[in-house]
């Protein structure tokens, strides 16, 4: 093999040795993109072969009113009567969407929203209870760590994180999505999302969830004001948390979702956002550094379907799902962002993957398919 500036990292990876922060930084800076992609693909194939996962799901964003003003966010709206495009869904509307999803074959609803100033904790419990009643089989993956903290503050009497999770689980919640991790770094936190919980708050929620046997996902929002070093530190903190969860034999992170920053409409809209190659590189480095989270997801809504497809040979093994509606980022301005099962499977097959429908815990879903 020709000499590469990352030959030593390639050797470590091939030997199954763990990479460190310095390796991660060099991978981010290396010009040898082909070796990087090849290594990420090697690790992906060791774990999953060519199996490539998707699910039939529906994302539901229950309100865009939010107490926070994170600079990277284009979704939040102030809670005022003169906000033209502010909205909040009723429990009935949410259940209706969940029912439609279940009828269309969905196995999961992914429910998140802004921090609403005056919806009570009962609203969130009712969402879970009513969906559970209407669609007993549907997996409810809902509420990011910051929402869980918000519920603990608004509940009367106030509740601990554990009590909030307990009540939500009793009402029907199954797992937590990975949102809101952003970048675990005090500088980035202070500059881009200072009123949101930071590293400790986010990990506390996921640690308690894992201790309780509630599985969750992890994210990293990249391509805004963070440095390469801050990305690497973020990924290594997720890896350390996962080590601890696995050692406890409790629940753990199922997947890691690196989310490319989409500037349009945000308070950081002067930034360009990450390039296609930066997205691919970040997904590949995530696969190589975070060796203990089984699945690396390219969320096609944010990565674009075309790049998500390419990433399937760069360490990624999961595309998320049919989605249907998505309000948090909408590059074309339209919240209807849907891929059919046929489209997802065609993307995967063309990339040399074997499409596998999964449920929220990555168990294979078997259905009769035409042809
Ligand atoms: O928490 C907000 C991010 C997240 C922008 O767990 C932005 O399986 C890009 O977490 N550009 C929500 N990203 C999405 C999310 C997610 C998506 C798909 C699957 C899973 C999973 C989780 O989106 C937010 C925030 O980190 N975000 N604004 C933006 N302008």
């Amino acid at each position: 093999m020709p000499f590469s500036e990352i030959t030593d990292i390639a050797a470590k990876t091939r030997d199954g040795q763990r990479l460190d922060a310095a390796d991660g930084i060099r991978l981010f800076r290396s010009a040898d993109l082909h070796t990087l992609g090849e290594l990420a693909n090697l690790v992906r194939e060791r774990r999953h072969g060519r199996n490539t996962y998707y699910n039939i799901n529906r994302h539901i964003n229950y309100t865009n009113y939010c107490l926070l003003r994170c600079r990277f966010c284009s979704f939040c709206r102030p809670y005022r009567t003169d906000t033209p495009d502010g909205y909040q869904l009723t429990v009935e509307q949410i259940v209706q969407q969940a029912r439609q999803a279940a009828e269309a074959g969905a196995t999961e609803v992914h429910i998140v929203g802004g921090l609403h100033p005056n919806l009570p904790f009962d609203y969130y419990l009712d969402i879970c209870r009513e969906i559970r009643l209407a669609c007993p089989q549907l997996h409810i993956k809902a509420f990011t760590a910051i929402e869980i903290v918000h519920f603990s503050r608004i509940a009367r009497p106030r509740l601990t994180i554990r009590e909030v999770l307990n009540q939500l689980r009793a009402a029907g919640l199954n797992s937590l999505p990975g949102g809101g991790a952003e970048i675990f770094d005090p500088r980035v936190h202070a500059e881009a999302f200072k009123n949101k919980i930071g590293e400790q708050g986010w990990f506390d929620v996921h640690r308690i969830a894992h201790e309780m046997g509630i599985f969750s996902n992890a994210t990293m929002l990249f391509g805004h004001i963070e440095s390469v070093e801050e990305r690497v530190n973020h990924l290594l903190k997720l890896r350390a948390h996962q080590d601890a969860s696995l050692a406890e034999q409790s629940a753990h992170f199922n997947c890691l979702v690196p989310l490319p920053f989409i500037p349009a409409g945000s308070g950081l809209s002067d930034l360009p956002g990450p390039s296609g190659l930066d997205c691919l590189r970040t997904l590949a480095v995530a696969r190589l550094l975070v060796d203990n989270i089984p699945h690396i997801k390219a969320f096609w809504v944010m990565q674009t379907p075309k790049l998500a497809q390419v990433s399937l040979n760069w360490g990624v093994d999961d595309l998320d799902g049919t989605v249907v509606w998505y309000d948090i980022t909408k590059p074309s301005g339209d919240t209807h962002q849907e891929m059919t099962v046929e489209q997802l499977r065609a993307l995967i097959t063309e990339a040399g993957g074997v499409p596998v429908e999964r449920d929220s815990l990555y168990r294979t879903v078997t259905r009769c398919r035409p042809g």
Side-chain angles (χ1 to χ4, degrees):
M1 198 185 148
F3 175 77
S4 157
E5 62 199 12
I6 53 174
T7 297
D8 56 328
I9 303 178
K12 272 170 101 171
T13 303
R14 291 201 176 91
D15 290 351
Q17 287 179 44
R18 201 162 237 205
L19 303 185
D20 60 21
D23 296 328
I25 292 166
R26 282 174 58 212
L27 287 174
F28 267 115
R29 298 227 163 100
S30 169
D32 190 355
L33 283 167
H34 290 288
T35 302
L36 171 61
E38 188 191 320
L39 291 174
N41 192 50
L42 173 83
V43 174
R44 174 239 205 267
E45 290 194 351
R46 272 187 193 149
R47 252 199 198 259
H48 303 292
R50 289 310 301 162
N51 282 355
T52 305
Y53 301 92
Y54 67 94
N55 66 352
I56 304 185
N57 66 353
R58 172 86 62 109
H59 284 247
I60 302 175
N61 302 126
Y62 55 86
T63 184
N64 61 356
Y65 290 124
C66 190
L67 291 166
L68 302 177
R69 295 286 169 274
C70 301
R71 288 176 72 205
F72 58 76
C73 181
S74 54
F75 169 64
C76 66
R77 294 290 178 274
Y79 186 63
R80 289 197 308 254
T81 45
D82 60 347
T83 303
D85 52 357
Y87 71 86
Q88 66 193 63
L89 302 182
T90 62
V91 173
E92 292 68 34
Q93 287 171 314
I94 296 168
V95 174
Q96 168 76 354
Q97 289 193 19
R99 200 180 275 120
Q100 284 168 0
E103 281 162 9
T107 56
E108 172 190 281
V109 275
H110 178 145
I111 307 174
V112 295
L115 304 191
H116 193 285
N118 55 21
L119 284 169
F121 183 42
D122 274 340
Y123 167 85
Y124 306 97
L125 291 172
D126 285 344
I127 290 175
C128 295
R129 267 191 217 115
E130 298 297 325
I131 293 178
R132 183 53 63 243
L133 264 178
C135 317
Q137 307 301 325
L138 210 52
H139 180 107
I140 304 175
K141 182 174 85 177
F143 311 128
T144 59
I146 180 70
E147 290 163 275
I148 301 294
V149 170
H150 176 65
F151 303 161
S152 78
R153 293 174 181 155
I154 61 168
R156 292 293 173 269
R158 285 174 75 133
L159 298 172
T160 63
I161 300 298
R162 195 175 291 272
E163 288 164 341
V164 166
L165 289 172
N166 242 325
Q167 292 199 22
L168 288 170
R169 177 161 63 179
L173 178 85
N174 296 107
S175 69
L176 299 182
E182 324 312 3
I183 289 283
F184 302 129
D185 180 83
R187 179 195 71 84
V188 181
H189 182 248
E191 286 182 33
F193 52 103
K194 70 170 186 283
N195 295 320
K196 202 171 197 172
I197 52 166
E199 174 181 344
Q200 187 176 347
W202 192 91
F203 276 117
D204 279 349
V205 171
H206 286 265
R207 180 179 41 76
I208 295 165
H210 291 175
E211 283 167 8
M212 293 171 63
I214 299 173
F215 285 84
S216 69
N217 291 339
T219 55
M220 172 172 78
L221 178 67
F222 68 93
H224 44 96
I225 61 163
E226 86 291 357
S227 66
V228 157
E229 287 79 359
E230 288 157 351
R231 285 187 204 180
V232 167
N233 288 339
H234 181 98
L235 293 171
L236 293 183
K237 285 172 183 172
L238 290 173
R239 184 173 83 181
H241 182 104
Q242 181 80 336
D243 275 343
S245 293
L246 292 171
E248 295 288 320
Q249 297 187 316
S250 56
H252 52 260
F253 296 125
N254 278 325
C255 84
L256 167 56
V257 201
L259 297 167
F261 170 55
I262 296 169
S266 78
L268 295 171
S269 59
D270 51 322
L271 298 178
S275 67
L277 278 181
D278 193 12
C279 291
L280 277 181
R281 191 192 281 279
T282 305
L283 290 161
V285 176
R287 168 62 79 191
L288 291 171
L289 276 189
V290 189
D291 53 5
N292 54 3
I293 300 185
H295 301 280
I296 302 290
K297 177 188 288 190
F299 183 45
W300 64 262
V301 171
M302 293 188 191
Q303 298 282 2
T304 76
K306 290 183 183 183
L307 197 76
Q309 182 188 39
V310 175
S311 75
L312 298 178
N313 283 287
W314 281 67
V316 167
D317 67 288
D318 184 29
L319 292 179
D320 204 77
T322 46
V323 179
V324 189
W325 301 99
Y326 198 70
D327 205 24
I328 295 175
T329 58
K330 30 188 187 305
S332 69
D334 192 354
T335 52
H336 185 207
Q337 305 192 74
E338 179 168 10
M339 272 222 262
T340 63
V341 168
E342 290 66 36
Q343 286 170 321
L344 284 163
R345 292 178 73 91
L347 285 181
I348 294 168
T349 307
E350 199 199 0
V354 177
V356 178
E357 185 188 338
R358 61 162 178 90
D359 69 7
S360 307
L361 301 176
Y362 288 83
R363 294 171 301 208
T364 303
V365 175
T366 314
R367 302 182 195 249
C368 295
R369 293 191 184 282

